[in-house]
Amino acid sequence: MATDTRVLDWLLDSDPALRWQVERDLAGAPPEVWQATRSRVATEGHGAELLAHQDEDGQWDGGAYFPAGYFGSPESEQPGQPWTATTWSLKDLREWGVDAAALAGTADKLAANSRWEYDDLPYWGGEIDVCINAFTLANGAWLGADVSDLVAWFPAHRLQDGGWNCEAEEGNSTRSSFHSTLNALREMLAYEQITADPSLREARHGGEEYLLERRLLRRATTGEPVGDFIGQFVHPHRWRYSALTALDYFRAAALLDETPPDPRLEDAVDVIRQARQPDGTWLQGTPLAGRTWFDIDVPEGEASRWLTLSGTRVLDWWDAAR
């Protein structure tokens, strides 16, 4: 179904970080239009506000993955985690479309000043958590850092069943995780989009197969849904898996690889379609717990522009191919 004009107008009435993607993916705007909107992200709205929070040493909130002083503080006893430290801030800015030139010098500053909370390891070398390494891989490619060690890390740390798991490196699991695998896939795809380097494509396709064999929804052993999270849509999703986040990835990967949608995505597409409201929007779910710099999307239960962008472009892509 074509995007309703009222929904499209509503989506376009938004922060530049969202608007340029609506122009490109839904409105069919020519490149000069959406690129002009994208160029405003660093100087207006969410992008400008988050850039203003960067520390002189290149970090955000004094830490790599967690704010300075987090461990042992009262905040560390609260649910979730803060989303204000360097890695999360870079991830947001990159996904919003900020040009790396707006962060000139940041890669060198982080190399000199930022260390992982795990074993005090240097920032651009990553650590042992696959999700952290995935975010760092893509952020480093975007900012021009040397992430060659991380490029080699992902194929070497794929599990036997085809995906990845953040618990595997400490010996807590030998089976892949939907969450970890999708985070690895999203950021390996971003790495290839940024660098045009296909060296991770084989590993990425293997990880895709892990999810496709399970139709993005189900346990391989029983065929039962892997968890309630598959139908719980929220923005920002940070690290969390859902059918919508997974399908948005598979759409982007298919566009890069120039392949049609895999038929095994159909069950997940049905989940997305059923969640669409009569007015063509998707509703915000329960936000992930933890402190943020500022609100990016609407409160729980309200129509979300970010989720509606993702849901609409997934269904448009799927329906056009069918």
Side-chain angles (χ1 to χ4, degrees):
M1 124 180 182
T3 307
D4 186 286
T5 302
R6 291 168 297 181
V7 173
L8 187 58
D9 289 344
W10 172 69
L11 289 171
L12 289 167
D13 182 21
S14 58
D15 189 274
L18 175 63
R19 181 185 173 102
W20 74 265
Q21 298 182 65
V22 177
E23 292 172 339
R24 182 192 64 180
D25 298 339
L26 302 183
E32 59 268 23
V33 171
W34 62 260
Q35 288 170 358
T37 303
R38 183 174 181 172
S39 70
R40 293 163 41 204
V41 179
T43 57
E44 300 179 25
H46 296 332
E49 185 170 357
L50 187 50
L51 283 169
H53 286 289
Q54 187 177 18
D55 303 331
E56 286 295 322
D57 67 359
Q59 300 188 103
W60 275 259
D61 216 0
Y65 200 71
F66 298 92
Y70 171 74
F71 292 100
S73 71
E75 188 175 26
S76 68
E77 302 300 320
Q78 301 300 312
Q81 71 168 86
W83 310 107
T84 53
T86 302
T87 300
W88 298 108
S89 298
L90 289 177
K91 180 176 182 292
D92 282 344
L93 291 167
R94 172 173 52 83
E95 292 180 349
W96 293 342
V98 171
D99 193 297
L103 292 102
T106 293
D108 289 339
K109 287 181 178 179
L110 295 180
N113 302 317
S114 191
R115 313 285 293 191
W116 292 110
E117 292 80 11
Y118 178 87
D119 275 4
D120 198 39
L121 294 169
Y123 190 81
W124 292 120
E127 44 126 286
I128 66 168
D129 182 291
V130 63
C131 298
I132 292 175
N133 285 351
F135 303 148
T136 308
L137 170 76
N139 289 340
W142 169 53
L143 295 181
D146 180 4
V147 289
S148 54
D149 287 348
L150 289 174
V151 173
W153 190 94
F154 281 88
H157 288 79
R158 267 183 73 204
L159 299 176
Q160 189 170 5
D161 60 6
W164 290 264
N165 191 325
C166 293
E167 300 291 327
E169 297 307 309
E170 295 189 4
N172 295 326
S173 181
T174 59
R175 295 190 298 176
S176 297
S177 153
F178 276 51
H179 301 288
S180 300
T181 298
L182 182 59
N183 283 320
L185 293 176
R186 282 171 50 87
E187 308 308 340
M188 286 192 290
L189 178 67
Y191 171 84
E192 185 172 347
Q193 290 170 326
I194 293 164
T195 65
D197 176 6
S199 59
L200 286 172
R201 188 173 293 186
E202 182 178 354
R204 177 166 63 81
H205 288 170
E208 290 173 0
E209 191 62 23
Y210 167 83
L211 293 176
L212 288 168
E213 287 173 350
R214 292 155 177 80
R215 306 185 80 85
L216 276 60
L217 306 174
R218 305 188 182 282
R219 299 184 185 277
T221 50
T222 65
E224 294 297 314
V226 70
D228 291 342
F229 58 80
I230 59 176
Q232 295 173 350
F233 309 151
V234 62
H235 187 87
H237 56 80
R238 310 294 183 187
W239 55 267
R240 188 168 157 191
Y241 185 98
S242 75
L244 178 56
T245 308
L247 281 167
D248 211 21
Y249 163 79
F250 275 95
R251 170 190 171 274
L255 293 177
L256 180 67
D257 294 340
E258 298 183 332
T259 56
D262 191 292
R264 291 171 290 180
L265 300 174
E266 186 167 12
D267 290 351
V269 170
D270 289 344
V271 172
I272 305 308
R273 204 183 299 277
Q274 290 167 16
R276 192 179 204 173
Q277 300 300 297
D279 64 359
T281 66
W282 278 260
L283 302 182
Q284 174 75 302
T286 305
L288 276 65
R291 176 167 54 89
T292 62
W293 287 115
F294 50 85
D295 291 334
I296 296 167
D297 206 351
V298 295
E300 182 176 358
E302 294 187 14
S304 161
R305 286 180 171 85
W306 285 97
L307 295 178
T308 299
L309 164 65
S310 296
T312 303
R313 68 186 174 192
V314 162
L315 293 185
D316 284 356
W317 164 70
W318 177 266
D319 291 341
R322 308 294 278 185

